[in-house]
Amino acid sequence: MTLFEASEKYNIPPEILKEYEKWGFCHSQKKVMGSWQFDDSDIENLSLLMTLHDIGFTPDEAENYMRLKLQSGASDAKLLHILNEKRSKVLVDIHFREKQLQRLDYLRHKINSKKD
């Protein structure tokens, strides 16, 4: 299936598909009349790529993760390390946001207590 067919059928933004192509994850034998042809394995990889984007991976981080995942003999330990690092960063961000909420609630409380 072509880029636009895959985009429509699986609701994958064309930019993600183009990124996948640019990284060379499609093999030359999949090119038909100048257009990449996505097969089931591509769609599975693209699903993972979408998940990586959704959980906050930058394009460079996603490309690095995908390259490791797709290389033969890739170590699950390396992939898990990358995921654990991202998880730690997300937790730091969550804690920062929680502190912001506490400060906002404090300011709201101060204003609301004046009304009483």
Side-chain angles (χ1 to χ4, degrees):
M1 98 184 55
T2 67
L3 181 143
F4 295 106
E5 291 169 339
S7 177
E8 287 289 316
K9 184 173 182 177
Y10 296 103
N11 199 28
I12 300 171
E15 301 80 39
I16 301 281
L17 295 168
K18 289 175 183 173
E19 205 170 75
Y20 182 79
E21 289 177 356
K22 182 182 85 180
W23 292 340
F25 294 147
C26 289
H27 303 292
S28 58
Q29 67 267 24
K30 291 183 183 178
K31 204 166 192 180
V32 177
M33 295 176 56
S35 295
W36 293 107
Q37 297 298 308
F38 295 94
D39 62 18
D40 290 340
S41 67
D42 291 319
I43 299 304
E44 187 176 318
N45 291 334
L46 285 162
S47 176
L48 173 57
L49 185 58
M50 290 289 296
T51 298
L52 295 174
H53 278 279
D54 289 347
I55 61 176
F57 274 60
T58 66
D60 288 341
E61 290 171 331
E63 179 182 7
N64 180 46
Y65 186 91
M66 292 299 295
R67 286 199 184 285
L68 280 172
K69 173 118 176 67
L70 295 175
Q71 70 180 218
S72 59
S75 165
D76 283 346
K78 287 180 183 177
L79 296 173
L80 192 56
H81 178 74
I82 291 170
L83 294 174
N84 286 338
E85 281 186 345
K86 181 54 90 174
R87 185 178 191 281
S88 293
K89 290 176 184 175
V90 169
L91 284 172
V92 166
D93 188 50
I94 288 170
H95 293 303
F96 176 75
R97 298 286 183 190
E98 285 175 339
K99 287 180 183 179
Q100 284 182 316
L101 279 173
Q102 289 171 352
R103 289 176 178 165
L104 281 166
D105 288 343
Y106 171 75
L107 293 172
R108 291 173 59 234
H109 172 74
K110 278 181 67 173
I111 292 170
N112 283 328
S113 64
K114 286 183 184 178
K115 294 178 185 177
D116 296 335

